[in-house]
């Protein structure tokens, strides 16, 4: 299914990072979610990490209770996170690989290698009517694994592409973008809903947003950083506009 309107999920983790630097209640991730919603976000994404370095259990409870947009809970494939997801029943759960020592989610999930570990988790989340997404590298083997696990959605990791853009390595950028294009097309053909995210900015979002097979982008760190300079409302609106322009141009091409 190719979505004419590309959805934007705003990841608010780093509002919590700033709040936690002082341990109080400000800035409030729920307030950020409301501003993002008013500025054109279609969903809110939050990653409850094992070490609770940014989003906390109380944030997930508050977001589930107080926002109108669909909540996408990013979670590691653990019993603890499964229990939390089943308790709050977010609209979606995106299963991500998690290593305590990493700064951010540095690679995709090995859905193929971890089939037996993931299968009951995907089944239980799906049984609770939570839309399961697997955060994977743009790789056919991982797409096939998502299908065999019965996950309806995959999110393609755009981090390597984003790094190549920053490095100014055009050859590598083109190669990595082509890989995302191919994975989006293959995923769609397999019946998966395809999302993408990680490391997206005003400068690199266009070529990804233009890929017609991609239904949703999840963007966080850059938007929250940019909000320091221009405000969150303005940052989300600009991202939304860039995504829409690129999608229109992609559909017209
Ligand atoms: N999608 C997933 C699955 C993620 O883990 C993250 C980072 O938490 C993002 C999207 C957003 O990445 P960024 O913060 O770099 O925009």
């Amino acid at each position: 299914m190719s979505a004419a309107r590309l959805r934007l999920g705003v990841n608010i983790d780093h509002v919590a990072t700033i709040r936690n630097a002082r341990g109080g209640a400000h800035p409030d991730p729920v307030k950020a979610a409301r501003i993002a919603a008013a500025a054109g976000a279609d969903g809110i994404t939050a990653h409850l990490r094992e070490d609770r370095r940014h989003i906390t259990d109380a944030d997930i409870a508050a977001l589930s209770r107080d926002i109108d947009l669909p909540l996408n809970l990013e979670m590691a494939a653990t019993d603890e996170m499964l229990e939390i997801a089943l308790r709050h029943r977010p609209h979606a759960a995106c299963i991500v690989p998690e290593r305590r020592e990493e700064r951010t989610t540095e690679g995709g999930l090995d859905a193929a290698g971890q089939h037996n570990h993931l299968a009951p988790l995907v089944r239980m989340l799906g049984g609770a009517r939570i839309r399961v997404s697997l955060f994977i590298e743009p790789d056919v083997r991982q797409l096939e694994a998502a299908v065999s696990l019965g996950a309806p959605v995959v999110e393609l990791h755009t981090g390597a592409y984003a790094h190549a853009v920053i490095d100014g390595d055009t050859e590598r950028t083109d190669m990595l973008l082509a890989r995302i294009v191919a994975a989006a097309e293959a995923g769609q053909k397999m019946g998966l809903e395809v999302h993408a995210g990680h490391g997206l900015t005003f400068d690199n979002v266009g070529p990804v947003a233009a890929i017609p097979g991609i239904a949703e982008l999840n963007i966080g760190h850059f938007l929250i950083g940019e909000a320091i300079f221009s405000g969150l409302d303005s940052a989300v609106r600009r991202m939304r506009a860039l995504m829409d322009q690129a999608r229109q141009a992609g559909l017209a091409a």
Side-chain angles (χ1 to χ4, degrees), residues 11 13 74 94 96 105 135 155 198-199 218-221:
N11 182 316
D13 292 351
E74 291 178 358
C94 180
V96 302
T105 312
F135 190 42
E155 181 167 328
H198 211 281
N218 283 296
I219 309 180
H221 183 269

Side-chain angles (χ1 to χ4, degrees), residues 91-242:
H91 166 77
C94 180
I95 304 178
V96 302
E98 203 175 297
R99 288 192 302 276
R100 266 172 197 272
E101 66 279 9
E102 71 188 354
R103 274 204 204 141
T104 179
T105 312
E106 282 160 8
L109 191 70
D110 183 8
Q114 289 190 51
H115 183 282
N116 293 348
H117 175 63
L118 293 171
L121 211 94
V122 172
R123 200 171 46 245
M124 279 188 265
L125 290 167
R129 297 174 166 269
I130 299 168
R131 206 157 159 75
V132 181
S133 162
L134 303 180
F135 190 42
I136 58 170
E137 294 296 328
D139 175 301
V140 173
R141 213 168 68 92
Q142 299 298 343
L143 293 167
E144 288 169 349
V147 172
S148 87
L149 281 162
V153 184
V154 290
E155 181 167 328
L156 304 177
H157 199 311
T158 51
Y161 156 79
H163 276 297
V165 174
I166 290 167
D167 293 345
D169 187 338
T170 48
E171 205 173 308
R172 194 167 154 72
T173 298
D174 291 349
M175 184 272 286
L176 292 167
L177 184 64
R179 203 180 273 183
I180 297 167
V181 171
E185 205 178 306
Q188 246 199 327
K189 282 200 184 127
M190 293 177 196
L192 294 163
E193 181 173 311
V194 180
H195 300 177
H198 211 281
L200 296 175
T201 69
F202 292 156
D203 289 338
N204 65 22
V205 76
V208 179
I211 303 170
I214 293 183
E216 175 175 312
L217 300 181
N218 283 296
I219 309 180
H221 183 269
F222 176 81
L223 286 175
I224 305 308
E226 190 62 20
I228 292 170
F229 305 116
S230 65
L232 185 58
D233 178 86
S234 158
V236 172
R237 280 181 202 279
R238 173 129 190 251
M239 187 61 85
R240 172 84 265 160
L242 290 169

Side-chain angles (χ1 to χ4, degrees), residues 27-47:
D28 176 10
V30 171
K31 181 172 177 182
R34 291 202 179 110
I35 292 170
D42 303 289
I44 298 299
T45 294
H47 185 176

